[in-house]
Amino acid sequence: MPFRLLHVSDLHFGRSSVAAQVEGVERIWESEKFGAVVVSGDLSQRTRTKEFERARQFVEDARRFAPVLVVPGNHDTAWWMAPLGMGSIPAMYERYRKYVCEELEPVLRVPGATIVGLNSARGIQSFTLTTRPRDLSVVGALREAQWAKAKREFDAAPTADLKVLVFHHNLLRGELSNRWGLSNRARGIASAAATGADLVLCGHDHQAGLECLDVDGRRIVVACASTLTTRVRGGGPGSINTFEVDEKTIRGGILQWNDESKSFAQVMWARYTRSSAPSTASG
């Protein structure tokens, strides 16, 4: 049986959240079988208690049907508690840890897959600064020690496991935003590939994307989930991602919300050969 995975991001529980779309996701995991559910950050809008309480309900509901891995996003991080390291770093994540997940960089091992979460939501630190003031508290960062941790986890995994790397900020430059999610920009692509990941899941850019890259002799599939809010990049409905993986292929699909049917429908899919073999894709 193929390993199936559901990927959701940027729920932003609060004013812009679209309740019907969230409920649509909940119906999917109730009716379909998944080996894991991944939520790649920004569960809250302004780190408010009520937002995190709804986020906790969402995650707990998912866990009734499948193992869940969740990582924080920049909207889940109270950066003002420690700008440039002046203050309490732990305080930045206090509500997220209390309501959503104590571990900021969880590792989930399930039959057929090893899923490693990294925390790219680091607030305003010296290593997140860019020349653009609008990037303050928005751009993420992953340090060498974090990439190394992911590599160790994947090295220790069974050879046949699907190796999934999860963080919030978009690894690839946004098609519409033209913005990199990480402060190390394109260098992050090589770092992600070097961990041994087969599949990278992220969000942040509010635009869905699915792309296969060959980097330094390794093949990685990079998926960016959109948002379940009114703030989709370029307008339009929100979307989520699903994957079916066997020993030879990764099949990824983008499911977009349809207001008429009040459900998610597949609008794009692609199939990629795992490892460094030539790929075939359809869309």
Side-chain angles (χ1 to χ4, degrees), residues 24-38:
V25 172
E26 293 170 334
R27 288 195 298 273
I28 287 176
W29 65 48
E30 290 173 1
S31 62
E32 299 184 31
K33 179 70 174 177
F34 293 98
V37 174
V38 167

Side-chain angles (χ1 to χ4, degrees), residues 87 100 108 144 155 174 202 250 252 283:
V100 181
L108 178 63
E144 289 303 318
D155 285 348
C202 50
I250 296 175

Side-chain angles (χ1 to χ4, degrees), residues 3 23 25 35 42 58 62 76 80 107 113 139 163 172-173 183 194-195 197 206 233 236 256 265:
F3 177 81
E23 292 164 3
V25 172
D42 274 3
F58 180 84
D76 303 320
W80 52 90
V107 178
V139 166
K163 298 169 180 65
L172 307 181
R173 190 203 301 263
S183 60
T195 66
H206 289 202
R233 184 81 61 183
Q256 191 175 73

Side-chain angles (χ1 to χ4, degrees), residues 17 36 43 46 51 63 70 101 118 134 148 167 196 199 210 212 246 265 282:
S17 176
L43 292 92
R46 300 189 183 279
E51 296 166 355
R63 287 199 173 110
V70 57
C101 182
L118 297 180
R134 64 180 292 190
F167 48 85
L199 178 62
L210 183 61
C212 185
D246 59 27
S282 303

Side-chain angles (χ1 to χ4, degrees), residues 46-84:
R46 300 189 183 279
T47 70
R48 291 172 176 164
T49 297
K50 287 186 177 180
E51 296 166 355
F52 278 132
E53 288 176 340
R54 179 63 182 92
R56 178 171 61 185
Q57 179 186 345
F58 180 84
V59 172
E60 289 180 348
D61 185 57
R63 287 199 173 110
R64 293 168 49 215
F65 300 94
V68 177
L69 182 138
V70 57
V71 295
N74 55 296
H75 279 263
D76 303 320
T77 305
W79 60 266
W80 52 90
M81 301 301 292
L84 295 175

Side-chain angles (χ1 to χ4, degrees), residues 106-231:
V107 178
L108 178 63
R109 299 186 187 276
V110 294
T114 296
I115 308 174
V116 177
L118 297 180
N119 176 27
S120 62
R122 309 296 293 275
I124 300 177
Q125 306 298 329
S126 60
F127 51 85
T128 67
L129 298 178
T130 73
T131 58
R132 298 169 52 156
R134 64 180 292 190
D135 286 344
L136 283 173
S137 80
V138 175
V139 166
L142 289 169
R143 314 302 300 278
E144 289 303 318
Q146 293 174 282
W147 297 118
K149 172 193 173 180
K151 186 178 188 305
R152 288 194 303 272
E153 297 290 351
F154 291 143
D155 285 348
T159 303
D161 263 15
L162 174 71
K163 298 169 180 65
V164 185
L165 184 62
V166 183
F167 48 85
H168 174 64
H169 290 80
N170 50 299
L171 178 65
L172 307 181
R173 190 203 301 263
E175 179 186 2
L176 296 178
S177 68
N178 200 36
R179 299 176 70 184
W180 297 94
L182 297 173
S183 60
N184 44 353
R185 301 165 69 85
R187 296 193 307 277
I189 297 172
S191 296
T195 66
D198 300 303
L199 178 62
V200 178
L201 304 180
C202 50
H204 183 65
D205 198 47
H206 289 202
Q207 182 183 3
L210 183 61
E211 190 167 342
C212 185
L213 307 175
D214 288 306
V215 185
D216 297 329
R218 288 210 82 263
R219 166 158 295 175
I220 57 171
V221 175
V222 181
C224 188
S226 184
T227 176
L228 303 183
T229 70
T230 57
R231 300 174 62 232

